[in-house]
Amino acid sequence: MAVGTLPRLLAKAVSSAPLPDFFKRFPVCKEFDAKVPIVRIATGRIIHRFFDTSPISPSGRYVALFRLPNENRPPQPGEAGDVVLVDLATGKERTIAQSRGWETQMGANVQWGATDADLFFNDVDPATWTPFAVHFNPEKGTQRRLGGTVFTVSPDGSQLTSYNLVSSRRIQVGYGVVLPEERTPRNQGPVAHDGLFLTDVTTGRTRMIASIRDIYERAIPSLRIPEADRYEYYCFQIRWNRQGTRAMAFLRWSDPEQKGPRTGPRLLTLVTMKPDGSDIRLAVTPEQYARGGHHPMWAPDGENITLNLNIRDGTKDLDLVSVRYDGTNLHSIYPIGSGHPSMHRDKPFIITDAYPREPVTRGDGTAPLRLIDLRNRTEVALAQVLLSRNETPQLSSEFRIDAHPVWDRTGRLVVFNGVHDDTRAVYIADVGPYLEKAMQLT
């Protein structure tokens, strides 16, 4: 096939493919130099959650989002944002609840469970400054308070998984729940009272499945940190594989004596474990992460993990790599990593974005929506997404706008964040026809 023929054929296939019905109810996105159809479904200080959970409901009818009360200053204890539901069948948007349990990157961790009647997000009781998860039924408008918090929901919707969303702000802001300073604890040494938690959706009860001390003492291979007790330790992010047989999470630590900006490599390791907290393995060791890397995600097989990692000597470049849950079989699957990569559920493609500082960007406040073909190790920028507001250069990294592209449950649609009219907005791209034609032509 002649050079340039494939892109033309793909573009023709995309332009002739029928669009999802709901696309006619929302504004067409024309500003991102897009190669696939894109619509803007919500505008105005609004975000979807992350690159590991689709905001589209199990039936495909609704999209659950979070609206920040402002875009220019950190959230204050007790300050509320809005949980927003977009109805794809009608094109209408409505606020269904408010939450005091949010930060700028994940919002209130709004996400779906098993059905359209199961929506979860975090909140805070300001009378006692107690964070908790909410089980909300959008169809009835009813809600139920659960015992713990939520970072992700198990694949079958029966359990919420979380780390300590309050204390973890000591290691990184933007992902948790804001309480007054005096109610934000510190973890000196590998403590036994903090760790990773499960909440049973039916009973609302929470239990710890692995403490920080468990992870430190039981991980294979062993974590041997010199002068371990001098550091503060926090768990960070937790997510299940699609089979529900294993979870991954970060253990991170910092030197409380270090003042001012952090220097040197981040101190962290990626661990995996079974649902009961047993068989704790290091998927990525502290030494490997010290070279540079970020954003792991389970592959569809539930055994392997993809992430950006520096594995080549003499360079600071990141490869997109694959590694087994126990740290074995680490290898490059694409030579240029960036952003938040995740694999398609049943096709040999990865979708990812980029940070403005990464070399795949144009340097103009946009980032490519990168579709990587793992068969021939090629890629195409499906769009150049605007991720910068006028205020962005004056704000801290807590306020950065990440696209966080995520596949929907069908593998046809990609939801991502962007900027429209100098405010946060959420978009949906129809990628399915492009993938189908690419599979036929190559």
Side-chain angles (χ1 to χ4, degrees):
M1 188 174 295
V3 175
T5 301
L6 179 59
R8 288 197 300 271
L9 289 173
L10 289 171
K12 182 178 180 181
V14 170
S15 64
S16 61
L19 291 170
D21 182 64
F22 72 84
F23 264 52
K24 64 187 178 185
R25 302 184 184 97
F26 296 94
V28 175
C29 174
K30 299 179 179 179
E31 63 266 37
F32 291 164
D33 190 22
K35 294 179 175 62
V36 292
I38 298 174
V39 290
R40 187 179 71 253
I41 62 165
T43 306
R45 310 187 314 277
I46 201 159
I47 60 172
H48 86 87
R49 180 185 167 272
F50 209 22
F51 75 125
D52 59 351
T53 52
S54 173
I56 301 177
S57 68
S59 75
R61 175 166 181 174
Y62 301 106
V63 184
L65 307 172
F66 186 78
R67 176 164 280 125
L68 283 63
N70 70 83
E71 297 183 276
N72 302 318
R73 62 173 176 79
Q76 302 301 303
E79 185 177 21
D82 295 335
V83 179
V84 174
L85 204 68
V86 177
D87 189 335
L88 297 181
T90 65
K92 301 297 183 182
E93 169 192 315
R94 61 189 174 100
T95 297
I96 59 172
Q98 287 197 312
S99 166
R100 299 175 179 86
W102 63 278
E103 281 201 89
T104 50
Q105 288 301 302
M106 299 291 100
N109 279 294
V110 179
Q111 60 198 283
W112 296 98
T115 74
D116 286 14
D118 302 297
L119 186 65
F120 298 93
F121 56 88
N122 290 309
D123 202 352
V124 172
D125 182 345
T128 60
W129 294 115
T130 303
F132 59 93
V134 174
H135 183 190
F136 190 89
N137 184 332
E139 297 173 349
K140 296 181 178 179
T142 58
Q143 63 181 41
R144 183 168 62 97
R145 175 171 169 169
L146 304 179
T149 55
V150 56
F151 186 75
T152 51
V153 183
S154 64
D156 65 1
S158 67
Q159 298 179 101
L160 311 184
T161 53
S162 187
Y163 55 98
N164 190 322
L165 298 179
V166 177
S167 64
S168 62
R169 298 190 73 251
R170 298 293 188 186
I171 200 77
Q172 187 166 345
V173 298
Y175 298 77
V177 170
V178 179
L179 299 188
E181 172 68 18
E182 65 274 13
R183 291 181 174 269
T184 306
R186 293 185 179 276
N187 293 336
Q188 188 64 48
V191 299
H193 63 266
D194 196 357
L196 300 172
F197 305 88
L198 283 184
T199 298
D200 185 281
V201 170
T202 300
T203 66
R205 295 174 183 168
T206 300
R207 61 186 176 90
M208 184 188 297
I209 58 169
S211 70
I212 291 172
R213 182 177 296 174
D214 290 335
I215 296 171
Y216 183 80
E217 293 180 347
R218 291 165 34 199
I220 302 171
S222 176
L223 278 170
R224 295 184 178 88
I225 302 173
E227 301 180 88
D229 288 337
R230 66 177 283 199
Y231 295 100
E232 293 182 5
Y233 295 79
Y234 304 93
C235 290
F236 186 67
Q237 299 187 11
I238 179 171
R239 57 182 66 94
W240 292 105
N241 63 7
R242 192 167 69 180
Q243 294 75 11
T245 58
R246 207 162 187 94
M248 73 163 79
F250 286 113
L251 178 65
R252 298 180 58 177
W253 56 100
S254 64
D255 186 347
E257 297 180 2
Q258 180 175 309
K259 307 299 181 183
R262 176 181 59 82
T263 58
R266 289 188 301 170
L267 305 175
L268 75 164
T269 187
L270 181 67
V271 303
T272 73
M273 63 189 68
K274 292 181 178 179
D276 61 0
S278 65
D279 192 29
I280 301 173
R281 301 294 184 126
L282 299 190
V284 184
T285 67
E287 294 76 18
Q288 289 169 323
Y289 258 124
R291 299 180 54 147
H294 54 86
H295 290 100
M297 175 63 73
W298 285 107
D301 63 12
E303 289 282 308
N304 294 286
I305 294 167
T306 57
L307 74 153
N308 303 298
L309 197 67
N310 183 341
I311 60 172
R312 288 181 281 164
D313 292 334
T315 177
K316 294 183 179 180
D317 296 337
L318 301 180
D319 280 43
L320 184 54
V321 307
S322 175
V323 63
R324 195 167 180 263
Y325 72 83
D326 59 0
T328 61
N329 196 27
L330 173 65
H331 63 282
S332 174
I333 57 175
Y334 192 72
I336 307 171
S338 74
H340 306 77
S342 62
M343 296 184 71
H344 191 275
R345 58 182 295 125
D346 54 26
K347 292 183 174 62
F349 295 94
I350 284 180
I351 195 79
T352 191
D353 56 345
Y355 288 111
R357 68 179 183 272
E358 292 181 306
V360 295
T361 65
R362 294 174 170 177
D364 59 357
T366 66
L369 191 63
R370 303 173 63 201
L371 181 70
I372 297 169
D373 189 331
L374 296 175
R375 298 169 301 170
N376 50 30
R377 292 165 69 91
T378 60
E379 69 172 281
V380 62
L382 297 179
Q384 296 288 340
V385 183
L386 180 63
L387 297 176
S388 178
R389 298 174 51 248
N390 292 335
E391 297 270 359
T392 300
Q394 290 77 44
L395 298 173
S396 68
S397 63
E398 177 182 357
F399 296 92
R400 72 183 184 276
I401 303 168
D402 294 343
H404 290 162
V406 61
W407 301 102
D408 80 323
R409 287 172 170 81
T410 70
R412 173 172 181 168
L413 305 175
V414 172
V415 186
F416 62 94
N417 297 316
V419 171
H420 176 76
D421 283 348
D422 202 38
T423 185
R424 287 165 172 81
V426 177
Y427 300 82
I428 298 180
D430 182 18
V431 184
Y434 196 101
L435 302 182
E436 294 295 339
K437 184 56 67 172
M439 292 291 291
Q440 296 172 14
L441 295 177
T442 57

